[in-house]
Amino acid sequence: MNSEERKDLKEQMNIDKSVIAAFHQMWDLFPGSVRLIHKNHTILASNPIAKELGFEEGLKCICIGARESHRNCKSIRMLKTQTAQVDRPSMEKVRGWIPVVGYDDIYVHFTLTI
């Protein structure tokens, strides 16, 4: 997806540029994979580690990696309750889903290998 298509996607989903900028400011140096995701599972932004793993803007997150790695996704619960969710799918990995204040249809999803 080129930069013009990404811009159109964010405009269609009514995502303010400042939200994307804030995402990058906060998460680009995080030592794990972090994505800003729309409720329809479209990736709106990703930090450098996530990009290296294939989580590119415009793709559906569920289409990346092994299908079973998305098992027990807590995005639906998080969106419904607007309360951060976390799980530990293995002893080496922690995942989290965090609501974005003021935007009920997007969230931050991170994966951190310990």
Side-chain angles (χ1 to χ4, degrees), residues 52-70:
E52 287 176 19
L53 296 171
F55 291 97
E56 292 288 336
E57 295 174 1
L59 298 177
K60 299 281 185 178
C61 59
I62 191 115
C63 297
I64 300 160
R67 194 79 157 149
E68 60 272 5
S69 69
H70 299 277

Side-chain angles (χ1 to χ4, degrees), residues 1-24:
M1 177 170 280
N2 67 39
S3 62
E4 194 62 35
E5 291 170 325
R6 277 180 255 171
K7 180 182 172 194
D8 289 344
L9 175 71
K10 291 169 193 165
E11 287 174 0
Q12 289 169 12
M13 294 184 182
N14 200 24
I15 307 302
D16 189 315
K17 292 177 189 177
S18 65
V19 173
I20 303 298
F23 169 86
H24 287 293

